[in-house]
Amino acid sequence: MQTPQIDIPKRGMPVTIVTGFLGSGKTTLLNQILKNRQDLKVAVLVNEFGDINIDGQLLVNIEDGMVELSNGCICCTINDGLLDAVYNILEREDRIDYMVIETTGVADPLPIALTFLGTELKHLTRLDSILTVIDTETFTAEHFGSEAARSQVQYGDIILLNKTDLVPEVQVDLLEAYLRQTKPKARILRSQHGEIPLPLILDVELISTDAYQQEEHEHHEHHHHEHHHSDHLANDGFISVSFQSDRRFDLDKFTYFLDKVMPVDVFRAKGILSFATEACHFIFQLSGKRYELNYDHRRETATNQLVFIGRNLDAQMLQQQLQECLISS
C-alpha cells in the first residue's frame, strides 16, 4: 500500500495571524484575502462564520465548519480547537498555499503564536507574521490603556491602518509617527476597506521571533533544550500512514497497541473505528500521548479508517501492527 507523503513545502506552510480590535476591519480584510484573484489558495480560520460575508458567486459548498470557494480558497471555523483546525487544513488533499488565522477582537495573539512556535506545528508550518488591523478613525494613544490593544500592537509585525479615508491625512500621519515610536520595526501600511495588495502582507517573513524567545522560555522551561537543535532538519521525515480494513478491531489489542507498541514518533492520528464488542462506531483522535474515543452515532459502515502522522515512521510495520489488532474474520 503506497504511503502518501504529506506534501508540505520544506519550510512549512506559511501562517499569518490577523489581530485587531472589534470593528477595526479584520473581517473585511479576510474577505479580501479569500476573494483574491492571485491564484493563491488560502485557508482562513475564523472563530465563526457569522461575521464573514462569503461572496455568494464564489461559494461551492459548506459542510461541517468548512466553506469551499470556487477559487480554491477555504474558510473554516476553529470549533474543535486550533490544533485540530490546522491539521484539518494540512491533511487536505487539495493543495493549500497559505493559512491565515483570525483572533477574536479581544484576543492576545501571543498564545496563538506560541501554538505555532512551541508545539509540533513548528515542523509543519512557518509563522510568517502577525498583522494588526487598526481603525484609524477611532484609534488613539489612550487605547494602550487596554492590555489587549497593547499586546496586539506590541506583537504586530505588520500594522495595517485601515479606514484611512475617514480621517484627515494629518491625523493618519500623526498616528503613524506615534506607532513608529512604539514599534519601530513594524511594517506600517495604509488601507481602505481592507484592500491591500496581498504580496505586501503574505509571505513577508517578518515574524520577530526574538519577541517570543523570552515568552517561549517561560512557557517551556522544561523543553528549553529543544530550541537549539538545527531547525533545517526539523522539516524532514514527516509522513502520513493510512490504514483501512473491513474487519473490526479487538478493543484490548488496539488499546495495548496505543499504549505499548505504537512508535513514539507518531504525534497525530485520527480515524473512525469499530470494535468487535461494540455496536457503535467511534471517532478516534490522538495528539501526542493523549487520545480519545467518542461515540459516532451517524455512521453505518463497518470499515476501520485511520491515518497516522509522524516522523520517520515505518509504514509497513505500522500497518502490520494494526493488522494484528483486528479480530480474525
Side-chain angles (χ1 to χ4, degrees):
M1 192 161 152
Q2 194 50 44
T3 307
Q5 285 276 349
I6 306 190
D7 182 22
I8 294 167
K10 271 285 172 268
R11 356 168 252 162
M13 181 183 286
V15 176
T16 297
I17 297 174
V18 173
T19 182
F21 265 155
L22 297 163
S24 57
K26 292 195 301 290
T27 303
T28 318
L29 173 67
L30 296 175
N31 276 331
Q32 298 287 359
I33 293 174
L34 280 172
K35 286 198 299 235
N36 82 82
R37 301 275 179 265
Q38 287 145 1
D39 276 346
L40 195 59
K41 310 260 188 279
V42 186
V44 170
L45 279 59
V46 294
N47 279 289
E48 47 193 82
F49 291 137
D51 39 344
I52 287 249
N53 170 22
I54 303 281
D55 182 336
Q57 298 162 320
L58 279 175
L59 199 57
V60 181
N61 76 4
I62 299 188
E63 60 167 302
D64 269 2
M66 189 168 290
V67 172
E68 301 200 33
L69 305 182
S70 58
N71 61 359
C73 295
I74 53 178
C75 177
C76 61
T77 54
I78 310 179
N79 286 341
D80 307 325
L82 183 58
L83 274 175
D84 274 349
V86 172
Y87 277 113
N88 283 339
I89 306 297
L90 291 176
E91 289 163 12
R92 280 176 73 79
E93 299 193 348
D94 330 337
R95 178 185 64 111
I96 289 285
D97 304 312
Y98 212 93
M99 198 180 295
V100 176
I101 295 176
E102 176 200 27
T103 65
T104 53
V106 288
D108 174 346
L110 183 66
I112 295 187
L114 289 178
T115 302
F116 285 93
L117 297 168
T119 67
E120 67 264 20
L121 285 181
K122 66 178 179 218
H123 305 302
L124 302 172
T125 58
R126 174 179 62 78
L127 193 52
D128 185 63
S129 77
I130 295 180
L131 185 155
T132 305
V133 184
I134 284 181
D135 174 347
T136 309
E137 189 182 25
T138 59
F139 193 93
T140 62
E142 279 70 76
H143 266 74
F144 280 118
S146 137
E147 195 55 45
R150 201 164 45 242
S151 62
Q152 285 176 359
V153 172
Q154 178 193 346
Y155 293 114
D157 304 297
I158 298 177
I159 297 175
L160 189 61
L161 299 178
N162 195 26
K163 309 191 189 183
T164 50
D165 49 332
L166 300 181
V167 296
E169 195 165 348
V170 180
Q171 192 179 327
V172 188
D173 293 341
L174 280 171
L175 177 55
E176 184 166 331
Y178 173 75
L179 289 167
R180 287 211 179 284
Q181 268 179 307
T182 324
K183 188 80 208 258
K185 284 198 187 138
R187 172 181 289 190
I188 298 178
L189 302 167
R190 301 181 179 198
S191 69
Q192 299 166 7
H193 313 295
E195 290 178 12
I196 189 89
L198 296 191
L200 289 179
I201 58 170
L202 300 185
D203 214 1
V204 290
E205 301 201 16
L206 284 179
I207 196 76
S208 47
T209 37
D210 44 337
Y212 305 106
Q213 296 304 318
Q214 184 53 34
E215 309 275 354
E216 204 171 1
H217 182 61
E218 289 161 16
H219 273 71
H220 295 274
E221 282 298 356
H222 52 296
H223 295 312
H224 193 61
H225 60 279
E226 289 175 11
H227 298 308
H228 306 297
H229 289 300
S230 69
D231 272 342
H232 63 267
L233 293 174
N235 291 325
D236 302 335
F238 276 96
I239 71 167
S240 79
V241 178
S242 44
F243 175 84
Q244 46 190 6
S245 169
D246 294 338
R247 283 159 41 201
R248 291 169 176 254
F249 279 121
D250 176 307
L251 183 59
D252 295 337
K253 285 182 181 169
F254 184 73
T255 46
Y256 181 82
F257 162 80
L258 290 179
D259 297 334
K260 299 281 192 292
V261 181
M262 189 180 71
V264 289
D265 285 341
V266 169
F267 58 65
R268 183 80 173 100
K270 52 201 286 191
I272 309 289
L273 306 183
S274 56
F275 296 105
T277 48
E278 304 287 327
C280 214
H281 290 80
F282 292 86
I283 296 174
F284 166 66
Q285 290 267 14
L286 172 140
S287 193
K289 287 283 154 273
R290 287 190 314 280
Y291 64 87
E292 51 185 58
L293 287 166
N294 295 309
Y295 283 111
D296 178 7
H297 297 287
R298 294 169 310 187
R299 272 166 229 273
E300 302 303 313
T301 58
T303 54
N304 276 309
Q305 295 178 319
L306 275 165
V307 60
F308 291 83
I309 297 183
R311 322 250 331 242
N312 309 317
L313 301 176
D314 178 336
Q316 274 179 312
M317 188 158 130
L318 198 53
Q319 283 156 349
Q320 183 56 43
Q321 290 164 339
L322 286 162
Q323 201 70 36
E324 287 164 11
C325 297
L326 298 167
I327 55 167
S328 30
S329 46

